[in-house]
Coordinates of all heavy atoms in Angstrom, one line a residue:
M1 N 149.3 -199.0 30.7 CA 149.1 -199.7 29.5 C 150.5 -200.1 29.0 O 151.3 -199.3 28.8 CB 148.4 -198.7 28.5 CG 148.1 -199.4 27.2 SD 147.4 -198.3 25.9 CE 145.8 -197.9 26.7
S2 N 150.6 -201.4 28.8 CA 151.9 -201.9 28.4 C 152.0 -201.9 26.8 O 151.0 -202.0 26.1 CB 152.0 -203.3 28.9 OG 152.3 -204.2 27.9
C3 N 153.2 -201.6 26.4 CA 153.5 -201.6 25.0 C 153.6 -202.9 24.3 O 153.2 -203.2 23.2 CB 154.7 -200.8 24.7 SG 154.5 -199.0 25.0
R4 N 154.2 -203.9 25.0 CA 154.4 -205.2 24.5 C 154.1 -206.2 25.6 O 154.3 -205.9 26.8 CB 155.8 -205.4 24.0 CG 156.1 -204.5 22.8 CD 157.4 -204.7 22.3 NE 157.5 -206.1 21.7 CZ 158.6 -206.5 21.1 NH1 159.7 -205.8 21.0 NH2 158.6 -207.7 20.6
P5 N 153.8 -207.4 25.3 CA 153.6 -208.4 26.3 C 154.9 -208.8 26.9 O 156.0 -208.6 26.3 CB 153.0 -209.6 25.5 CG 153.4 -209.4 24.1 CD 153.5 -207.9 23.9
P6 N 154.9 -209.2 28.2 CA 156.2 -209.6 28.8 C 156.8 -210.8 28.1 O 156.1 -211.6 27.5 CB 155.8 -209.9 30.2 CG 154.4 -210.3 30.2 CD 153.8 -209.5 29.0
P7 N 158.1 -210.9 28.2 CA 158.8 -212.1 27.5 C 158.3 -213.3 28.3 O 158.1 -213.3 29.5 CB 160.3 -211.8 27.7 CG 160.4 -210.8 28.7 CD 159.1 -210.0 28.8
E8 N 158.3 -214.4 27.5 CA 157.9 -215.6 28.1 C 159.0 -216.6 28.0 O 159.7 -216.7 27.0 CB 156.6 -216.2 27.4 CG 155.5 -215.2 27.6 CD 154.2 -215.7 26.8 OE1 154.0 -216.9 26.7 OE2 153.5 -214.8 26.4
N9 N 159.2 -217.4 29.0 CA 160.2 -218.4 29.0 C 159.7 -219.7 28.5 O 158.5 -220.0 28.5 CB 160.8 -218.5 30.4 CG 161.5 -217.3 30.8 OD1 162.1 -216.6 30.1 ND2 161.3 -216.9 32.1
G10 N 160.6 -220.7 28.2 CA 160.2 -222.0 27.8 C 160.3 -222.2 26.3 O 160.4 -221.3 25.6
P11 N 160.2 -223.5 25.9 CA 160.3 -223.8 24.5 C 159.1 -223.4 23.7 O 158.0 -223.3 24.3 CB 160.5 -225.3 24.5 CG 159.8 -225.8 25.8 CD 160.0 -224.6 26.8
S12 N 159.3 -223.1 22.5 CA 158.2 -222.6 21.7 C 157.2 -223.6 21.4 O 156.0 -223.3 21.1 CB 158.7 -222.1 20.3 OG 159.3 -223.1 19.6
G13 N 157.5 -224.9 21.6 CA 156.5 -226.0 21.4 C 155.8 -226.4 22.6 O 155.0 -227.3 22.6
G14 N 156.1 -225.7 23.8 CA 155.5 -226.1 25.1 C 154.0 -225.6 25.1 O 153.4 -225.1 24.2
A15 N 153.4 -225.9 26.3 CA 152.1 -225.5 26.5 C 151.9 -224.0 26.4 O 152.8 -223.2 26.9 CB 151.6 -226.0 27.9
P16 N 150.8 -223.5 25.8 CA 150.6 -222.0 25.8 C 150.3 -221.5 27.1 O 149.8 -222.1 28.0 CB 149.4 -221.9 24.8 CG 148.7 -223.2 24.9 CD 149.8 -224.2 25.2
T17 N 150.7 -220.2 27.3 CA 150.5 -219.5 28.6 C 149.0 -219.2 28.7 O 148.2 -219.2 27.7 CB 151.3 -218.2 28.6 OG1 150.8 -217.3 27.6 CG2 152.8 -218.5 28.5
Q18 N 148.6 -218.7 29.8 CA 147.2 -218.3 30.1 C 146.8 -217.2 29.1 O 145.8 -217.2 28.5 CB 147.1 -217.9 31.5 CG 145.7 -217.3 31.9 CD 144.7 -218.4 32.3 OE1 145.1 -219.5 32.5 NE2 143.4 -218.0 32.3
R19 N 147.7 -216.2 29.0 CA 147.4 -215.1 28.1 C 147.4 -215.5 26.6 O 146.5 -215.0 25.9 CB 148.5 -214.0 28.3 CG 148.2 -212.7 27.5 CD 146.9 -212.1 27.9 NE 147.1 -210.8 28.3 CZ 146.2 -210.0 28.9 NH1 145.0 -210.5 29.1 NH2 146.5 -208.8 29.3
Q20 N 148.2 -216.4 26.2 CA 148.2 -216.9 24.8 C 146.9 -217.6 24.6 O 146.3 -217.5 23.5 CB 149.4 -217.9 24.6 CG 150.7 -217.1 24.5 CD 151.9 -218.1 24.4 OE1 151.7 -219.3 24.6 NE2 153.0 -217.5 24.2
Q21 N 146.4 -218.4 25.6 CA 145.1 -219.1 25.4 C 144.0 -218.0 25.3 O 143.1 -218.2 24.5 CB 144.9 -220.0 26.6 CG 145.8 -221.2 26.6 CD 145.5 -222.0 27.8 OE1 144.4 -222.5 28.1 NE2 146.5 -222.3 28.6
E22 N 144.1 -217.0 26.1 CA 143.1 -215.9 26.1 C 143.1 -215.2 24.7 O 142.0 -215.0 24.1 CB 143.4 -214.9 27.2 CG 142.3 -213.9 27.3 CD 142.5 -212.9 28.5 OE1 143.6 -213.0 29.1 OE2 141.6 -212.1 28.8
V23 N 144.2 -214.9 24.1 CA 144.3 -214.3 22.8 C 143.7 -215.2 21.8 O 142.9 -214.8 20.9 CB 145.7 -213.9 22.5 CG1 145.9 -213.5 21.0 CG2 146.2 -212.8 23.4
L24 N 144.1 -216.5 21.8 CA 143.6 -217.5 20.9 C 142.1 -217.6 21.0 O 141.4 -217.6 20.0 CB 144.3 -218.9 21.1 CG 143.8 -220.0 20.2 CD1 144.3 -219.7 18.8 CD2 144.4 -221.3 20.7
A25 N 141.6 -217.7 22.2 CA 140.1 -217.8 22.4 C 139.4 -216.5 21.9 O 138.3 -216.6 21.3 CB 139.8 -218.0 23.9
Y26 N 140.0 -215.4 22.1 CA 139.4 -214.1 21.6 C 139.4 -214.1 20.0 O 138.3 -213.8 19.4 CB 140.2 -212.9 22.1 CG 139.7 -211.6 21.5 CD1 138.5 -211.1 21.9 CD2 140.4 -211.0 20.4 CE1 138.0 -209.9 21.3 CE2 139.9 -209.8 19.9 CZ 138.7 -209.3 20.3 OH 138.3 -208.1 19.7
V27 N 140.5 -214.5 19.4 CA 140.5 -214.6 17.9 C 139.4 -215.6 17.4 O 138.7 -215.3 16.5 CB 141.9 -215.0 17.4 CG1 141.9 -215.3 15.9 CG2 142.9 -213.9 17.7
H28 N 139.3 -216.7 18.1 CA 138.4 -217.7 17.7 C 136.9 -217.2 17.9 O 136.1 -217.3 16.9 CB 138.6 -219.0 18.5 CG 137.6 -220.1 18.2 ND1 137.5 -220.7 17.0 CD2 136.7 -220.7 19.0 CE1 136.6 -221.6 17.0 NE2 136.1 -221.6 18.2
A29 N 136.6 -216.7 19.0 CA 135.3 -216.2 19.3 C 134.9 -215.0 18.3 O 133.8 -214.9 17.8 CB 135.1 -215.7 20.7
Y30 N 135.9 -214.1 18.1 CA 135.6 -213.0 17.2 C 135.3 -213.5 15.8 O 134.4 -213.0 15.2 CB 136.9 -212.1 17.2 CG 136.8 -210.8 16.4 CD1 136.6 -209.6 17.1 CD2 136.8 -210.8 15.0 CE1 136.5 -208.4 16.4 CE2 136.7 -209.6 14.4 CZ 136.6 -208.4 15.1 OH 136.5 -207.2 14.4
K31 N 136.1 -214.5 15.4 CA 135.9 -215.0 14.0 C 134.6 -215.7 13.9 O 133.9 -215.6 12.9 CB 137.1 -216.0 13.7 CG 137.2 -216.3 12.2 CD 138.5 -217.0 11.9 CE 138.6 -217.2 10.5 NZ 139.9 -217.8 10.1
Q32 N 134.2 -216.4 14.9 CA 132.9 -217.1 14.9 C 131.7 -216.1 14.9 O 130.7 -216.3 14.2 CB 132.7 -218.0 16.1 CG 133.4 -219.3 16.0 CD 133.1 -220.3 17.1 OE1 133.0 -219.9 18.3 NE2 132.9 -221.5 16.8
D33 N 131.9 -215.0 15.7 CA 130.8 -214.0 15.8 C 130.7 -213.1 14.5 O 129.6 -212.8 14.1 CB 131.1 -213.1 17.0 CG 130.0 -212.2 17.3 OD1 128.9 -212.6 17.4 OD2 130.3 -211.0 17.5
R34 N 131.8 -212.8 13.9 CA 131.8 -211.8 12.8 C 132.1 -212.4 11.4 O 132.0 -211.7 10.4 CB 132.8 -210.7 13.1 CG 132.3 -209.9 14.3 CD 133.3 -208.8 14.7 NE 132.8 -207.9 15.7 CZ 133.0 -208.1 17.0 NH1 133.8 -209.1 17.4 NH2 132.5 -207.2 17.9
G35 N 132.6 -213.6 11.4 CA 132.9 -214.3 10.1 C 134.3 -213.9 9.6 O 134.7 -214.5 8.6
V36 N 135.0 -213.1 10.3 CA 136.4 -212.7 9.9 C 137.2 -212.7 11.2 O 136.7 -212.4 12.3 CB 136.5 -211.4 9.1 CG1 135.8 -211.4 7.8 CG2 136.0 -210.2 10.0
A37 N 138.5 -212.8 11.0 CA 139.4 -212.7 12.2 C 139.6 -211.2 12.6 O 139.5 -210.4 11.7 CB 140.8 -213.3 11.8
P38 N 140.0 -211.0 13.8 CA 140.2 -209.6 14.2 C 141.5 -209.1 13.6 O 142.4 -209.9 13.3 CB 140.3 -209.7 15.7 CG 140.8 -211.1 16.0 CD 140.1 -211.9 14.9
S39 N 141.7 -207.8 13.4 CA 142.9 -207.3 13.0 C 143.8 -207.2 14.2 O 143.4 -207.3 15.4 CB 142.7 -205.9 12.4 OG 142.3 -205.0 13.4
A40 N 145.1 -207.0 14.0 CA 146.1 -206.8 15.1 C 145.7 -205.6 15.9 O 145.7 -205.6 17.1 CB 147.5 -206.6 14.5
R41 N 145.2 -204.6 15.3 CA 144.8 -203.4 16.0 C 143.6 -203.7 16.9 O 143.5 -203.2 18.1 CB 144.4 -202.3 15.0 CG 144.0 -201.0 15.7 CD 143.8 -199.8 14.8 NE 144.9 -199.6 13.8 CZ 146.1 -199.0 14.1 NH1 146.3 -198.7 15.3 NH2 146.9 -198.9 13.1
E42 N 142.6 -204.5 16.5 CA 141.5 -204.8 17.3 C 141.9 -205.7 18.5 O 141.4 -205.6 19.6 CB 140.4 -205.6 16.5 CG 139.7 -204.6 15.5 CD 139.0 -205.3 14.4 OE1 139.3 -206.4 14.0 OE2 138.0 -204.7 14.0
V43 N 142.9 -206.6 18.3 CA 143.4 -207.4 19.4 C 144.1 -206.5 20.4 O 143.9 -206.6 21.6 CB 144.4 -208.5 18.9 CG1 145.1 -209.2 20.0 CG2 143.6 -209.5 18.0
C44 N 144.9 -205.5 19.9 CA 145.5 -204.6 20.8 C 144.5 -203.8 21.6 O 144.7 -203.6 22.8 CB 146.4 -203.6 20.0 SG 147.9 -204.4 19.5
E45 N 143.5 -203.3 21.0 CA 142.4 -202.6 21.7 C 141.8 -203.4 22.7 O 141.5 -203.0 23.8 CB 141.4 -202.0 20.7 CG 141.9 -200.9 19.8 CD 140.9 -200.5 18.7 OE1 139.8 -201.1 18.6 OE2 141.3 -199.7 17.9
R46 N 141.5 -204.7 22.4 CA 140.8 -205.6 23.4 C 141.7 -205.8 24.6 O 141.2 -205.9 25.7 CB 140.5 -206.9 22.7 CG 140.2 -208.1 23.5 CD 139.0 -207.8 24.5 NE 138.8 -209.0 25.3 CZ 139.4 -209.2 26.5 NH1 140.3 -208.4 26.9 NH2 139.1 -210.3 27.2
F47 N 143.0 -205.9 24.4 CA 143.9 -206.3 25.5 C 144.6 -205.1 26.1 O 145.4 -205.2 27.1 CB 144.9 -207.4 25.1 CG 144.2 -208.7 24.9 CD1 143.8 -209.1 23.6 CD2 143.9 -209.5 26.0 CE1 143.2 -210.3 23.4 CE2 143.2 -210.7 25.8 CZ 142.9 -211.1 24.5
G48 N 144.4 -203.9 25.6 CA 144.9 -202.7 26.1 C 146.4 -202.5 25.8 O 147.1 -201.8 26.6
W49 N 146.9 -203.0 24.7 CA 148.2 -202.9 24.3 C 148.4 -201.7 23.4 O 147.5 -201.4 22.5 CB 148.7 -204.1 23.5 CG 148.6 -205.4 24.3 CD1 148.8 -205.5 25.7 CD2 148.4 -206.7 23.9 NE1 148.6 -206.8 26.1 CE2 148.4 -207.6 25.0 CE3 148.2 -207.2 22.6 CZ2 148.2 -208.9 24.9 CZ3 148.0 -208.6 22.5 CH2 148.0 -209.4 23.6
A50 N 149.4 -200.9 23.5 CA 149.6 -199.7 22.7 C 150.3 -200.0 21.4 O 150.1 -199.2 20.4 CB 150.5 -198.7 23.5
S51 N 151.0 -201.1 21.3 CA 151.8 -201.4 20.1 C 151.2 -202.5 19.3 O 150.9 -203.6 19.9 CB 153.3 -201.7 20.5 OG 154.0 -202.3 19.4
L52 N 151.1 -202.4 18.0 CA 150.7 -203.5 17.1 C 151.6 -204.7 17.2 O 151.2 -205.8 17.0 CB 150.5 -203.0 15.7 CG 149.4 -202.0 15.4 CD1 149.4 -201.7 13.9 CD2 148.1 -202.6 15.8
R53 N 152.9 -204.4 17.6 CA 153.8 -205.5 17.7 C 153.5 -206.5 18.8 O 153.8 -207.6 18.7 CB 155.2 -204.9 17.9 CG 156.3 -205.9 18.0 CD 156.6 -206.5 16.6 NE 157.3 -207.8 16.9 CZ 157.5 -208.7 16.0 NH1 156.9 -208.6 14.8 NH2 158.2 -209.8 16.3
A54 N 152.7 -206.0 19.8 CA 152.3 -206.9 20.9 C 151.4 -208.0 20.3 O 151.6 -209.2 20.6 CB 151.6 -206.1 21.9
A55 N 150.4 -207.6 19.5 CA 149.6 -208.6 18.9 C 150.3 -209.5 18.0 O 150.2 -210.8 18.0 CB 148.4 -208.0 18.1
T56 N 151.2 -209.0 17.2 CA 152.1 -209.8 16.3 C 152.9 -210.8 17.0 O 153.1 -211.9 16.6 CB 153.0 -208.9 15.4 OG1 152.1 -207.9 14.7 CG2 153.8 -209.6 14.4
D57 N 153.5 -210.4 18.2 CA 154.2 -211.3 19.0 C 153.4 -212.5 19.4 O 153.8 -213.6 19.4 CB 154.8 -210.6 20.3 CG 155.9 -209.7 20.0 OD1 156.5 -209.8 18.9 OD2 156.3 -208.9 20.9
Y58 N 152.2 -212.2 19.8 CA 151.3 -213.3 20.3 C 150.9 -214.2 19.1 O 150.9 -215.4 19.2 CB 150.0 -212.8 20.9 CG 150.2 -212.6 22.4 CD1 150.6 -211.3 22.9 CD2 150.2 -213.6 23.3 CE1 150.8 -211.2 24.3 CE2 150.4 -213.5 24.6 CZ 150.7 -212.2 25.1 OH 151.0 -212.1 26.5
F59 N 150.6 -213.6 17.9 CA 150.3 -214.4 16.7 C 151.5 -215.3 16.4 O 151.3 -216.5 16.1 CB 150.0 -213.5 15.5 CG 148.8 -212.6 15.7 CD1 148.6 -211.5 14.9 CD2 147.8 -212.9 16.6 CE1 147.5 -210.7 15.1 CE2 146.7 -212.1 16.8 CZ 146.5 -211.0 16.0
E60 N 152.7 -214.8 16.5 CA 153.9 -215.6 16.2 C 154.1 -216.7 17.2 O 154.4 -217.9 16.8 CB 155.2 -214.7 16.3 CG 155.3 -213.8 15.1 CD 156.5 -212.8 15.2 OE1 157.2 -212.8 16.3 OE2 156.6 -212.0 14.3
R61 N 153.8 -216.5 18.5 CA 154.0 -217.5 19.5 C 152.9 -218.6 19.3 O 153.2 -219.8 19.4 CB 153.8 -216.9 20.9 CG 155.0 -216.0 21.2 CD 154.8 -215.3 22.5 NE 155.9 -214.3 22.7 CZ 155.9 -213.3 23.5 NH1 154.8 -213.1 24.2 NH2 156.9 -212.5 23.6
L62 N 151.7 -218.2 18.9 CA 150.6 -219.2 18.7 C 150.9 -220.0 17.4 O 150.6 -221.2 17.4 CB 149.3 -218.5 18.6 CG 148.8 -217.9 20.0 CD1 147.6 -217.0 19.7 CD2 148.4 -219.0 20.9
E63 N 151.5 -219.3 16.5 CA 151.9 -220.0 15.2 C 153.0 -221.0 15.5 O 153.0 -222.1 15.0 CB 152.3 -219.0 14.2 CG 152.4 -219.6 12.8 CD 152.6 -218.5 11.7 OE1 153.2 -217.5 12.0 OE2 152.1 -218.8 10.6
Q64 N 154.0 -220.7 16.3 CA 155.0 -221.6 16.7 C 154.5 -222.8 17.4 O 155.0 -223.9 17.2 CB 156.0 -220.9 17.6 CG 156.9 -219.9 16.9 CD 157.7 -219.1 17.9 OE1 157.5 -219.1 19.2 NE2 158.7 -218.3 17.4
R65 N 153.4 -222.7 18.1 CA 152.8 -223.8 18.8 C 151.8 -224.5 17.9 O 151.1 -225.4 18.4 CB 152.1 -223.3 20.1 CG 153.2 -222.9 21.1 CD 152.5 -222.3 22.4 NE 153.5 -222.2 23.4 CZ 154.4 -221.3 23.6 NH1 154.5 -220.4 22.6 NH2 155.2 -221.3 24.6
R66 N 151.7 -224.1 16.7 CA 150.8 -224.7 15.7 C 149.3 -224.7 16.1 O 148.5 -225.6 15.9 CB 151.2 -226.2 15.4 CG 152.6 -226.2 14.7 CD 152.9 -227.7 14.3 NE 154.1 -227.7 13.5 CZ 155.3 -227.9 14.0 NH1 155.5 -228.1 15.3 NH2 156.4 -227.9 13.2
L67 N 149.0 -223.5 16.8 CA 147.6 -223.3 17.2 C 146.9 -222.3 16.2 O 145.7 -222.2 16.2 CB 147.5 -222.8 18.6 CG 148.1 -223.7 19.6 CD1 148.2 -223.0 21.0 CD2 147.3 -225.0 19.8
L68 N 147.7 -221.6 15.5 CA 147.2 -220.6 14.6 C 148.1 -220.5 13.3 O 149.3 -220.8 13.4 CB 147.4 -219.2 15.3 CG 146.9 -217.9 14.7 CD1 145.4 -217.9 14.8 CD2 147.5 -216.8 15.4
K69 N 147.6 -220.2 12.2 CA 148.3 -220.0 11.0 C 148.0 -218.5 10.5 O 146.9 -218.1 10.7 CB 147.9 -221.0 9.9 CG 148.3 -222.4 10.1 CD 147.9 -223.2 9.0 CE 148.3 -224.7 9.3 NZ 147.8 -225.6 8.2
R70 N 149.0 -217.9 10.0 CA 148.9 -216.6 9.4 C 149.1 -216.6 7.9 O 150.1 -217.2 7.5 CB 149.8 -215.6 10.1 CG 149.6 -215.3 11.5 CD 150.5 -214.4 12.2 NE 151.9 -214.9 12.1 CZ 153.0 -214.2 12.2 NH1 152.9 -212.9 12.3 NH2 154.2 -214.7 12.1
L71 N 148.2 -216.1 7.2 CA 148.4 -216.0 5.8 C 149.2 -214.8 5.5 O 148.8 -213.6 5.9 CB 147.0 -215.9 5.1 CG 146.1 -217.1 5.3 CD1 144.7 -216.8 4.6 CD2 146.7 -218.4 4.7
P72 N 150.3 -214.9 4.8 CA 151.2 -213.8 4.5 C 150.5 -212.7 3.7 O 149.8 -213.0 2.7 CB 152.4 -214.3 3.8 CG 152.0 -215.7 3.4 CD 150.9 -216.1 4.2
N73 N 150.7 -211.5 4.0 CA 150.2 -210.3 3.3 C 148.7 -210.3 3.1 O 148.1 -209.8 2.1 CB 150.8 -210.3 1.9 CG 152.3 -210.2 2.0 OD1 152.9 -209.4 2.8 ND2 153.0 -210.9 1.2
V74 N 147.9 -210.9 4.0 CA 146.5 -210.9 4.0 C 146.0 -210.3 5.3 O 146.2 -210.8 6.4 CB 145.9 -212.4 3.9 CG1 144.4 -212.4 3.9 CG2 146.4 -213.0 2.6
H75 N 145.3 -209.2 5.1 CA 144.7 -208.5 6.3 C 143.6 -209.4 6.9 O 142.8 -210.0 6.2 CB 144.0 -207.2 5.8 CG 143.4 -206.4 6.9 ND1 144.2 -205.9 7.9 CD2 142.2 -206.0 7.2 CE1 143.4 -205.2 8.8 NE2 142.2 -205.3 8.3
R76 N 143.7 -209.6 8.2 CA 142.8 -210.5 8.9 C 143.0 -212.0 8.5 O 142.1 -212.8 8.5 CB 141.3 -210.1 8.8 CG 141.0 -208.7 9.3 CD 139.5 -208.3 9.0 NE 139.3 -207.0 9.4 CZ 138.8 -206.6 10.6 NH1 138.7 -207.5 11.6 NH2 138.6 -205.4 10.9
G77 N 144.2 -212.3 8.1 CA 144.5 -213.6 7.6 C 144.9 -214.6 8.7 O 146.0 -215.2 8.6
L78 N 144.1 -214.7 9.7 CA 144.4 -215.7 10.8 C 143.5 -216.9 10.6 O 142.3 -216.8 10.5 CB 144.2 -215.0 12.2 CG 145.0 -213.7 12.5 CD1 144.5 -213.2 13.8 CD2 146.4 -214.0 12.5
I79 N 144.1 -218.0 10.7 CA 143.4 -219.3 10.6 C 143.7 -220.1 11.8 O 144.9 -220.4 12.1 CB 143.8 -220.1 9.3 CG1 143.4 -219.3 8.1 CG2 143.1 -221.5 9.3 CD1 143.9 -219.9 6.8
I80 N 142.7 -220.5 12.6 CA 143.0 -221.3 13.8 C 143.0 -222.8 13.3 O 142.1 -223.3 12.6 CB 141.9 -221.1 14.8 CG1 141.9 -219.6 15.2 CG2 142.0 -222.0 16.0 CD1 140.9 -219.2 16.2
T81 N 144.0 -223.5 13.8 CA 144.2 -224.9 13.4 C 143.2 -225.7 14.2 O 142.5 -225.2 15.2 CB 145.6 -225.4 13.8 OG1 145.8 -225.3 15.2 CG2 146.7 -224.6 13.0
E82 N 143.1 -227.0 13.9 CA 142.2 -227.9 14.6 C 142.5 -228.0 16.1 O 141.6 -227.9 16.9 CB 142.3 -229.3 13.9 CG 141.2 -230.2 14.4 CD 141.2 -231.5 13.6 OE1 141.3 -231.5 12.4 OE2 141.1 -232.6 14.2
S83 N 143.8 -228.1 16.4 CA 144.2 -228.2 17.8 C 143.9 -226.8 18.5 O 143.6 -226.7 19.7 CB 145.6 -228.6 18.0 OG 146.5 -227.8 17.3
G84 N 144.2 -225.7 17.8 CA 143.9 -224.4 18.3 C 142.4 -224.2 18.6 O 142.1 -223.6 19.6
E85 N 141.6 -224.7 17.7 CA 140.1 -224.6 17.9 C 139.7 -225.3 19.1 O 138.9 -224.8 19.9 CB 139.4 -225.1 16.6 CG 137.9 -224.8 16.7 CD 137.3 -225.1 15.3 OE1 137.9 -224.9 14.3 OE2 136.1 -225.6 15.4
A86 N 140.2 -226.5 19.3 CA 139.9 -227.3 20.5 C 140.3 -226.6 21.8 O 139.5 -226.6 22.7 CB 140.5 -228.7 20.4
L87 N 141.5 -226.1 21.8 CA 142.0 -225.3 23.0 C 141.1 -224.1 23.2 O 140.8 -223.8 24.3 CB 143.4 -225.0 22.8 CG 144.1 -224.3 23.9 CD1 144.2 -225.2 25.2 CD2 145.5 -223.8 23.6
A88 N 140.8 -223.3 22.1 CA 140.0 -222.1 22.3 C 138.6 -222.4 22.8 O 138.1 -221.7 23.7 CB 140.0 -221.4 20.9
N89 N 138.0 -223.5 22.3 CA 136.7 -223.8 22.7 C 136.7 -224.2 24.2 O 135.8 -223.8 25.0 CB 136.1 -225.0 21.9 CG 135.6 -224.5 20.6 OD1 135.1 -223.3 20.5 ND2 135.7 -225.3 19.5
A90 N 137.7 -225.0 24.6 CA 137.8 -225.4 26.0 C 138.0 -224.1 26.9 O 137.4 -224.0 28.0 CB 139.0 -226.4 26.2
Y91 N 138.8 -223.2 26.5 CA 139.1 -222.0 27.2 C 137.8 -221.2 27.3 O 137.5 -220.6 28.4 CB 140.2 -221.2 26.6 CG 140.7 -220.1 27.5 CD1 141.7 -220.3 28.4 CD2 140.1 -218.8 27.3 CE1 142.1 -219.2 29.3 CE2 140.5 -217.7 28.1 CZ 141.5 -218.0 29.1 OH 141.9 -216.9 29.9
L92 N 137.1 -221.0 26.2 CA 135.9 -220.3 26.2 C 134.8 -220.8 27.1 O 134.0 -220.1 27.7 CB 135.3 -220.1 24.8 CG 136.1 -219.1 23.9 CD1 135.8 -219.3 22.4 CD2 136.0 -217.7 24.4
R93 N 134.7 -222.2 27.2 CA 133.8 -222.8 28.1 C 134.0 -222.3 29.6 O 133.1 -222.1 30.3 CB 133.8 -224.3 28.0 CG 133.0 -224.9 26.8 CD 132.8 -226.4 26.9 NE 134.1 -227.1 26.9 CZ 134.7 -227.4 25.7 NH1 134.2 -227.1 24.6 NH2 135.8 -228.1 25.8
E94 N 135.3 -222.2 29.9 CA 135.6 -221.8 31.3 C 135.6 -220.3 31.5 O 135.5 -219.8 32.6 CB 137.0 -222.4 31.7 CG 137.0 -223.9 31.8 CD 138.3 -224.4 32.2 OE1 139.1 -223.7 32.9 OE2 138.7 -225.5 31.9
H95 N 135.8 -219.5 30.4 CA 136.0 -218.1 30.4 C 135.1 -217.4 29.3 O 135.7 -216.8 28.4 CB 137.4 -217.7 30.2 CG 138.4 -218.4 31.2 ND1 138.6 -217.9 32.5 CD2 139.1 -219.5 31.0 CE1 139.4 -218.7 33.1 NE2 139.8 -219.7 32.2
P96 N 133.8 -217.5 29.4 CA 132.9 -216.9 28.4 C 133.1 -215.4 28.2 O 132.6 -214.9 27.2 CB 131.5 -217.3 28.8 CG 131.6 -217.6 30.3 CD 133.0 -218.0 30.5
E97 N 133.6 -214.7 29.2 CA 133.8 -213.3 29.1 C 134.9 -212.8 28.2 O 135.0 -211.6 27.9 CB 134.0 -212.7 30.5 CG 135.4 -213.0 31.1 CD 135.7 -214.4 31.6 OE1 134.8 -215.3 31.6 OE2 136.8 -214.7 31.9
V98 N 135.6 -213.7 27.6 CA 136.8 -213.4 26.8 C 136.5 -212.4 25.7 O 137.2 -211.4 25.4 CB 137.5 -214.6 26.2 CG1 138.5 -214.3 25.1 CG2 138.2 -215.3 27.3
L99 N 135.4 -212.6 25.0 CA 135.1 -211.8 23.8 C 134.8 -210.3 24.2 O 135.2 -209.4 23.5 CB 133.9 -212.3 23.1 CG 133.5 -211.6 21.8 CD1 134.7 -211.6 20.8 CD2 132.3 -212.2 21.1
H100 N 134.3 -210.1 25.4 CA 133.9 -208.8 25.8 C 134.8 -208.1 26.8 O 134.7 -207.0 27.1 CB 132.4 -208.8 26.4 CG 131.5 -209.5 25.4 ND1 131.1 -208.9 24.2 CD2 130.9 -210.6 25.4 CE1 130.3 -209.7 23.6 NE2 130.1 -210.7 24.3
G101 N 135.8 -208.9 27.3 CA 136.7 -208.3 28.2 C 136.1 -208.0 29.5 O 136.5 -207.3 30.3

């Protein structure tokens, strides 16, 4: 079980990695299914990460790519942008197992 995701190379505005797409798709599917975004802890549990910082790192990377917005000081305050939603839906069409792992 890894504590944090491995470092990723490339510009912050580049194409998202496979894992970033998977995290984005999970957040999107979770939000559609339950009406609220997952907590960082729930994301960690889903992906097998021991540290909450791992989820936060992914949220930051997705936010840098303008695929996700985080509301400051709001629990479950993740908002998927229009472009993020399009990418998540495309990913989910190819990988419907994302929500359940």
Side-chain angles (χ1 to χ4, degrees):
M1 181 182 297
S2 125
C3 289
R4 293 183 69 178
E8 298 177 33
N9 298 321
S12 64
T17 65
Q18 176 86 13
R19 185 58 121 188
Q20 288 171 352
Q21 291 178 54
E22 188 176 5
V23 170
L24 180 68
Y26 175 73
V27 170
H28 178 63
Y30 187 104
K31 196 168 183 177
Q32 282 188 317
D33 188 49
R34 294 177 174 93
V36 296
S39 67
R41 183 172 311 283
E42 289 166 331
V43 172
C44 287
E45 287 172 4
R46 162 59 181 85
F47 290 98
W49 301 328
S51 169
L52 291 179
R53 183 67 197 165
T56 303
D57 285 347
Y58 273 97
F59 298 158
E60 288 172 359
R61 292 172 187 162
L62 291 167
E63 192 170 33
Q64 288 171 348
R65 286 176 170 79
R66 295 185 171 95
L67 299 171
L68 181 79
K69 290 181 183 178
R70 294 180 299 160
L71 299 174
N73 303 316
V74 176
H75 184 63
R76 300 178 184 267
L78 302 175
I79 298 172
I80 298 179
T81 65
E82 192 174 314
S83 58
E85 189 172 323
L87 182 65
N89 283 327
Y91 191 87
L92 286 167
R93 277 193 296 277
E94 293 182 28
H95 307 277
E97 73 283 356
V98 165
L99 185 58
H100 306 293

